[in-house]
Amino acid sequence: MTTIRVLGAGVAGLTCAYEFARAGESVEIVERAAAPGLGCSFHAGGMISPWCEEESAEPLIIEWGREALNYWTNTVPAAAIRGTLVVAPPRDRPDLIRFARLTSHYEKLGTEKIAALEPDLAGRFDEALFYPEEGHLDPRQAMAVLGERLKQSANVSFRFNTEAEAISESADWTIDCRGFAARDELPDLRGVKGEMLVLKTDEISLARPVRMLHPRHPVYIVPRGDGRFMIGATMIENEERSRVTARSVLELLSAVYAIHPAFGEAEIVEMGCDLRPAFPDNLPRLRRIGRTLYVNGLYRHGFLLAPALARRAAAVVLHGEFFPEVMDADPCERQRA
Ligand SMILES: Cc1cc2nc3c(=O)[nH]c(=O)nc-3n(C[C@H](O)[C@H](O)[C@H](O)COP(=O)(O)OP(=O)(O)OC[C@H]3O[C@@H](n4cnc5c(N)ncnc54)[C@H](O)[C@@H]3O)c2cc1C
């Protein structure tokens, strides 16, 4: 049995740990926080929407995103498949046309069908795109489900409140999933700031994520149940993670108010932000240096990509496989000093 130490219990760390545990390896997860999923993963919207991502993402994201749909509904059931609704204010109709041109697996809806799908949006938009096969999950719940499953595995142990650097015992392999914190070893990693809000209101209900297109401030709403809605997310090339700015709140709230004025009366129950870990091309990487495999660069696609990336991480370590789409030939050869 190989001993595997996973650093970081975000979506990358937990999905990796799960793959190694399923293969029967001995897995130790080291996390500086007191519980899993409290890093960047805590703030994610949890949209599993590969076809909407076709608008701006590489084909790899779409292909792996389809794997994620299967993972989060069958392997670790946490997602609901109720589709995604994409709308635009009348003046931004060209954006909707452009979005339709760049994406697939959607139906065009008119006023009546929009009302049938989301009664509270009746009369608010003339046109929409509906992606029926897409899903969404609550990232905090998904992390808890995965964390519990791992805790119940006889071959898995957790060390919370522990800094990776404080551990001196060796393992056969280290899987570094520290997110943006791994920049100390991965200098080409950058942080892309994302801010989000959670609103609570009983005045409106939505069954599925709604994305509203806008040339400068696109916004999405993900229903979380119990009258709560996650509103996301800003994308700012700035590595300042400690505060949510008034401008961002203003932009997110104005956009969401344009979707439905009932959000104007909602209670703001949470504001948060973090740094999405990203490489220069915004694609994920498996970077092997000696007996450490860095699993990182999930950018804005953590829940969409982690299952597929974790599967490949296990294949690299356990079967010596090589995945050119996410591995650089160069660092694979490099041995850590
Ligand atoms: C506002 C916002 C909205 C987003 N929406 C979506 C979305 O809708 N869908 C989607 O798929 N993705 C979304 N993302 C992106 C997603 O959240 C990230 O891609 C993902 O969380 C990155 O996961 P990770 O496991 O690499 O990092 P993290 O979740 O940050 O996990 C890293 C873990 O390592 C731990 N750690 C760090 N250093 C150490 C150390 N030295 N010792 C021990 N432990 C350590 C941290 O405490 C943390 O728990 C969003 C991000 C933001 C900010």
Side-chain angles (χ1 to χ4, degrees):
M1 195 190 287
T2 313
T3 58
I4 306 285
R5 177 168 299 132
V6 176
L7 310 182
V11 69
L14 293 188
T15 49
C16 281
Y18 191 58
E19 292 308 315
F20 287 107
R22 284 211 280 186
E25 309 303 341
S26 167
V27 182
E28 179 188 61
I29 303 157
V30 180
E31 167 58 53
R32 60 157 56 136
L38 297 179
C40 187
S41 304
F42 189 74
H43 295 105
M47 288 181 297
I48 312 298
S49 51
W51 294 289
C52 281
E53 291 303 321
E54 281 179 318
E55 186 227 359
S56 56
E58 303 272 336
L60 177 82
I61 311 292
I62 289 85
E63 192 190 318
W64 286 16
R66 293 165 80 138
E67 275 188 59
L69 275 172
N70 181 42
Y71 183 90
W72 294 118
T73 50
N74 292 316
T75 312
V76 181
I81 305 292
R82 299 207 195 105
T84 308
L85 197 62
V86 178
V87 296
R91 66 172 183 278
D92 296 324
R93 187 164 183 265
D95 288 330
L96 199 65
I97 295 170
R98 182 182 159 276
F99 199 91
R101 201 176 60 241
L102 296 173
T103 60
S104 64
H105 291 68
Y106 62 80
E107 297 164 21
K108 284 187 181 168
L109 306 186
T111 328
E112 275 177 29
K113 283 192 174 170
I114 297 172
L117 213 54
E118 293 291 357
D120 284 348
L121 296 185
R124 298 209 53 79
F125 299 96
D126 297 337
E127 296 173 278
L129 302 173
F130 179 49
Y131 298 75
E133 296 162 60
E134 295 191 337
H136 69 282
L137 51 75
D138 178 340
R140 301 170 191 184
Q141 201 183 10
M143 294 291 81
V145 169
L146 197 44
E148 269 317 302
R149 212 179 259 200
L150 285 163
K151 281 177 195 164
Q152 280 160 19
S153 308
N155 51 332
V156 177
S157 62
F158 276 94
R159 280 164 90 160
F160 291 117
N161 301 306
T162 307
E163 291 288 328
E165 297 74 8
I167 298 196
S168 53
E169 312 95 79
S170 63
D172 292 325
W173 276 90
T174 299
I175 312 300
D176 189 319
C177 301
R178 289 178 294 136
F180 181 66
R183 202 195 15 210
D184 56 359
E185 313 245 352
L186 303 173
D188 51 343
L189 198 64
R190 77 184 197 286
V192 180
K193 184 176 180 181
E195 295 151 293
M196 50 76 79
L197 306 170
V198 178
L199 301 184
K200 185 168 178 3
T201 174
D202 294 326
E203 300 297 309
I204 177 166
S205 80
L206 295 172
R208 56 188 55 76
V210 176
R211 293 183 181 223
M212 191 173 76
L213 307 180
H214 186 279
R216 276 173 302 119
H217 312 304
V219 71
Y220 59 78
I221 304 175
V222 187
R224 289 273 167 88
D226 193 25
R228 285 168 191 259
F229 299 88
M230 186 275 189
I231 313 297
T234 58
M235 292 265 291
I236 305 174
E237 292 289 342
N238 158 348
E239 293 183 348
E240 189 272 309
R241 77 188 332 163
S242 61
R243 66 198 182 104
V244 176
T245 65
R247 180 189 288 113
S248 296
V249 173
L250 210 63
E251 288 169 0
L252 290 172
L253 288 180
S254 317
V256 93
Y257 184 73
I259 294 177
H260 200 293
F263 284 112
E265 294 301 318
E267 179 188 349
I268 300 176
V269 292
E270 186 181 327
M271 290 192 271
C273 68
D274 214 316
L275 297 179
R276 305 171 179 93
F279 287 108
D281 58 4
N282 296 332
L283 289 174
R285 290 284 188 289
L286 297 176
R287 189 167 289 170
R288 190 186 139 182
I289 302 178
R291 305 285 280 180
T292 297
L293 185 69
Y294 294 86
V295 180
N296 216 314
L298 289 169
Y299 183 44
R300 51 181 267 193
H301 301 123
F303 286 79
L304 196 64
L305 297 184
L309 195 61
R311 238 174 250 148
R312 284 151 182 89
V316 169
V317 167
L318 301 178
H319 309 297
E321 288 190 38
F322 181 75
F323 297 94
E325 63 276 34
V326 288
M327 293 176 75
D328 312 314
D330 213 11
C332 291
E333 310 302 328
R334 252 195 270 148
Q335 292 296 306
R336 180 177 276 181

